Coordinates of all heavy atoms in Angstrom, one line a residue:
E283 N 73.7 106.1 76.7 CA 72.9 106.2 75.5 C 72.1 104.9 75.3 O 70.9 105.0 74.9 CB 73.8 106.6 74.3 CG 74.3 108.0 74.4 CD 75.3 108.3 73.3 OE1 76.1 107.4 73.0 OE2 75.4 109.5 72.9
I284 N 72.8 103.8 75.5 CA 72.2 102.5 75.2 C 71.0 102.4 76.2 O 69.9 101.9 75.8 CB 73.2 101.4 75.4 CG1 74.2 101.3 74.3 CG2 72.5 100.0 75.6 CD1 75.3 100.4 74.5
N285 N 71.2 102.8 77.4 CA 70.0 102.7 78.4 C 68.9 103.5 78.0 O 67.7 103.1 78.1 CB 70.5 103.0 79.8 CG 71.3 101.9 80.4 OD1 71.0 100.7 80.3 ND2 72.4 102.2 81.2
E286 N 69.2 104.8 77.5 CA 68.1 105.6 77.1 C 67.4 105.1 75.9 O 66.1 105.0 75.8 CB 68.6 107.0 76.7 CG 67.6 108.0 76.2 CD 68.1 109.3 75.7 OE1 69.3 109.6 75.9 OE2 67.3 110.1 75.1
Y287 N 68.1 104.6 74.9 CA 67.5 104.1 73.7 C 66.7 102.8 74.0 O 65.6 102.5 73.4 CB 68.5 103.7 72.6 CG 69.4 104.9 72.2 CD1 70.6 104.7 71.6 CD2 69.0 106.2 72.4 CE1 71.5 105.7 71.2 CE2 69.8 107.3 72.1 CZ 71.0 107.0 71.5 OH 71.9 108.1 71.1
T288 N 67.2 102.0 74.9 CA 66.5 100.8 75.3 C 65.2 101.1 76.0 O 64.1 100.5 75.6 CB 67.4 99.9 76.3 OG1 68.6 99.5 75.7 CG2 66.6 98.7 76.8
D289 N 65.2 102.0 76.9 CA 63.9 102.4 77.5 C 62.9 102.9 76.5 O 61.7 102.6 76.6 CB 64.2 103.5 78.6 CG 64.9 103.0 79.8 OD1 64.8 101.8 80.0 OD2 65.5 103.8 80.5
R290 N 63.4 103.7 75.5 CA 62.4 104.2 74.5 C 61.9 103.0 73.6 O 60.7 103.0 73.3 CB 63.2 105.2 73.7 CG 63.5 106.5 74.5 CD 64.5 107.4 73.8 NE 64.0 108.0 72.6 CZ 63.6 109.2 72.5 NH1 63.6 110.0 73.5 NH2 63.1 109.7 71.3
M291 N 62.8 102.1 73.3 CA 62.3 101.0 72.5 C 61.3 100.1 73.2 O 60.3 99.6 72.6 CB 63.5 100.1 72.0 CG 64.3 100.6 70.8 SD 63.3 100.6 69.3 CE 62.8 98.9 69.1
M292 N 61.4 100.0 74.5 CA 60.5 99.1 75.3 C 59.1 99.8 75.4 O 58.2 99.1 75.8 CB 61.1 98.8 76.7 CG 62.4 98.0 76.7 SD 62.3 96.5 75.7 CE 61.1 95.5 76.8
N293 N 59.0 101.0 75.0 CA 57.7 101.7 75.0 C 57.1 101.8 73.6 O 56.2 102.6 73.4 CB 57.9 103.1 75.5 CG 58.1 103.1 77.0 OD1 57.4 102.4 77.8 ND2 59.1 103.9 77.5
I294 N 57.6 100.9 72.7 CA 57.0 100.8 71.4 C 56.4 99.4 71.2 O 57.0 98.6 70.5 CB 58.0 101.2 70.2 CG1 58.7 102.4 70.6 CG2 57.3 101.3 68.9 CD1 59.8 102.8 69.6
P295 N 55.3 99.0 71.8 CA 54.8 97.6 71.7 C 54.5 97.1 70.3 O 54.7 95.9 70.1 CB 53.6 97.7 72.6 CG 53.2 99.1 72.7 CD 54.4 99.9 72.6
K296 N 54.1 98.0 69.5 CA 53.8 97.5 68.1 C 55.0 97.0 67.4 O 55.0 96.1 66.6 CB 53.1 98.6 67.3 CG 51.7 98.9 67.7 CD 51.0 99.9 66.8 CE 49.6 100.2 67.2 NZ 48.9 101.2 66.3
K297 N 56.2 97.7 67.6 CA 57.4 97.3 67.0 C 58.0 96.0 67.7 O 58.5 95.2 67.0 CB 58.4 98.4 67.0 CG 59.6 98.2 66.1 CD 59.2 98.0 64.6 CE 58.6 99.2 63.9 NZ 58.4 99.0 62.5
L298 N 57.8 96.0 69.0 CA 58.3 94.8 69.7 C 57.5 93.5 69.2 O 58.1 92.4 69.2 CB 58.1 94.9 71.2 CG 58.9 96.1 71.9 CD1 58.6 96.1 73.3 CD2 60.4 96.0 71.6
A299 N 56.3 93.7 68.8 CA 55.4 92.6 68.4 C 55.8 92.1 67.0 O 55.3 91.0 66.6 CB 54.0 93.0 68.3
T300 N 56.8 92.7 66.3 CA 57.2 92.2 65.0 C 58.2 91.1 65.2 O 58.6 90.5 64.2 CB 57.9 93.3 64.2 OG1 59.0 93.8 64.9 CG2 56.9 94.5 63.9
V301 N 58.6 90.8 66.4 CA 59.4 89.6 66.7 C 58.6 88.6 67.4 O 57.8 88.9 68.3 CB 60.7 90.0 67.5 CG1 61.5 88.8 67.9 CG2 61.5 91.0 66.8
S302 N 58.7 87.3 67.1 CA 57.8 86.3 67.6 C 58.2 85.8 69.0 O 57.7 84.7 69.4 CB 57.8 85.1 66.6 OG 59.1 84.5 66.5
K303 N 59.0 86.5 69.7 CA 59.2 86.1 71.1 C 59.2 87.4 72.0 O 59.5 88.5 71.5 CB 60.6 85.4 71.3 CG 61.8 86.3 70.9 CD 63.1 85.6 71.2 CE 63.4 85.6 72.7 NZ 64.8 85.1 72.9
Q304 N 58.8 87.3 73.2 CA 58.7 88.4 74.1 C 60.1 88.9 74.4 O 61.0 88.1 74.8 CB 57.9 88.1 75.3 CG 57.7 89.3 76.2 CD 56.7 89.1 77.3 OE1 56.2 87.9 77.4 NE2 56.4 90.1 78.1
I305 N 60.4 90.2 74.3 CA 61.7 90.7 74.5 C 61.8 91.4 75.8 O 61.0 92.3 76.1 CB 62.1 91.7 73.3 CG1 61.9 91.1 72.0 CG2 63.5 92.2 73.5 CD1 62.0 92.1 70.8
S306 N 62.7 91.0 76.6 CA 62.9 91.6 77.9 C 63.8 92.9 77.7 O 64.4 93.1 76.7 CB 63.7 90.7 78.9 OG 65.0 90.5 78.5
R307 N 63.8 93.7 78.7 CA 64.6 94.9 78.7 C 66.1 94.6 78.6 O 66.8 95.2 77.8 CB 64.4 95.8 79.9 CG 65.1 97.2 79.7 CD 65.1 98.0 81.0 NE 65.8 99.2 80.8 CZ 67.1 99.4 80.6 NH1 67.9 98.4 80.6 NH2 67.6 100.6 80.4
D308 N 66.5 93.6 79.3 CA 67.9 93.1 79.2 C 68.3 92.7 77.8 O 69.4 93.0 77.3 CB 68.2 92.0 80.3 CG 68.2 92.5 81.7 OD1 68.3 93.8 81.9 OD2 68.1 91.7 82.6
E309 N 67.4 91.9 77.2 CA 67.7 91.5 75.8 C 67.8 92.6 74.9 O 68.6 92.6 74.0 CB 66.6 90.5 75.4 CG 66.7 89.1 76.1 CD 65.5 88.2 75.8 OE1 64.4 88.7 75.7 OE2 65.7 87.0 75.6
M310 N 66.9 93.6 75.0 CA 66.9 94.8 74.1 C 68.2 95.5 74.3 O 68.9 95.9 73.4 CB 65.7 95.7 74.4 CG 65.7 96.9 73.6 SD 65.6 96.6 71.8 CE 63.9 96.0 71.7
A311 N 68.6 95.7 75.6 CA 69.9 96.4 75.8 C 71.1 95.7 75.2 O 72.0 96.3 74.7 CB 70.1 96.6 77.4
E312 N 71.0 94.4 75.3 CA 72.1 93.6 74.7 C 72.1 93.7 73.2 O 73.2 93.7 72.6 CB 72.0 92.1 75.2 CG 73.1 91.2 74.8 CD 74.4 91.7 75.5 OE1 74.4 92.4 76.5 OE2 75.5 91.3 74.9
L313 N 71.0 93.8 72.6 CA 70.9 94.0 71.1 C 71.6 95.3 70.8 O 72.4 95.3 69.8 CB 69.5 94.0 70.6 CG 68.8 92.7 70.5 CD1 67.3 92.9 70.1 CD2 69.4 91.8 69.4
F314 N 71.4 96.3 71.6 CA 72.1 97.6 71.3 C 73.6 97.4 71.5 O 74.4 97.9 70.7 CB 71.5 98.7 72.3 CG 70.3 99.4 71.7 CD1 69.0 99.2 72.2 CD2 70.5 100.3 70.7 CE1 67.9 99.8 71.7 CE2 69.4 101.0 70.2 CZ 68.1 100.8 70.7
R315 N 74.0 96.8 72.7 CA 75.4 96.7 72.9 C 76.1 95.9 71.8 O 77.2 96.3 71.4 CB 75.6 95.9 74.3 CG 75.2 96.8 75.5 CD 75.7 96.1 76.8 NE 75.0 96.7 77.9 CZ 73.9 96.3 78.5 NH1 73.4 95.2 78.1 NH2 73.4 97.0 79.5

Side-chain angles (χ1 to χ4, degrees):
E283 289 169 329
I284 289 172
N285 282 323
E286 178 186 351
Y287 304 159
T288 297
D289 288 340
R290 292 164 69 99
M291 278 297 300
M292 296 306 293
N293 285 316
I294 313 176
K296 287 185 178 180
K297 193 56 69 172
L298 299 180
T300 63
V301 177
S302 64
K303 62 177 286 188
Q304 188 169 359
I305 305 171
S306 69
R307 188 194 182 284
D308 287 345
E309 288 174 321
M310 179 60 70
E312 190 60 22
L313 282 175
F314 272 107
R315 288 191 194 97

